[in-house]
Amino acid sequence: MINIGEAIKEELDRQERTVSWLARKLNRTRAYVYRLLSKNSIDTGVLAQISLLLGRDFFQELSEDVSDAEGE
């Protein structure tokens, strides 16, 4: 199963964005974002916001991961 926190961190790094940038955009603290990045699952509303901010459909990736797991 995809580790969503790790996937978000990788995308931040790829886009050369910081945790501080994401925290500002989400109107949250850096500590909150660091906690998100350490989790294997997060709230769908927050994931939707992050997907829009980063321009990456994390929901699609999760769905593909589930589909792949079902086929095994």
Side-chain angles (χ1 to χ4, degrees), residues 22-70:
L22 185 56
R24 277 193 311 276
K25 293 294 186 177
L26 293 173
N27 199 29
R28 305 289 181 139
T29 65
R30 283 186 351 195
Y32 173 87
V33 173
Y34 278 115
R35 279 193 306 275
L36 276 180
L37 298 178
S38 70
K39 292 185 175 185
N40 198 26
S41 63
I42 64 173
D43 178 80
T44 56
V46 175
L47 185 57
Q49 287 179 297
I50 293 170
S51 292
L52 290 171
L53 288 169
L54 295 177
R56 180 171 163 179
D57 188 351
F58 291 102
F59 290 102
Q60 179 66 33
E61 294 175 35
L62 288 168
S63 178
E64 288 172 1
D65 194 45
V66 169
S67 294
D68 290 344
E70 288 176 347

Side-chain angles (χ1 to χ4, degrees), residues 9 12 17-24 30-31 33-34 37:
K9 175 70 171 116
L12 281 172
R17 304 236 185 234
T18 64
V19 168
S20 295
W21 175 86
L22 185 56
R24 277 193 311 276
R30 283 186 351 195
V33 173
Y34 278 115
L37 298 178

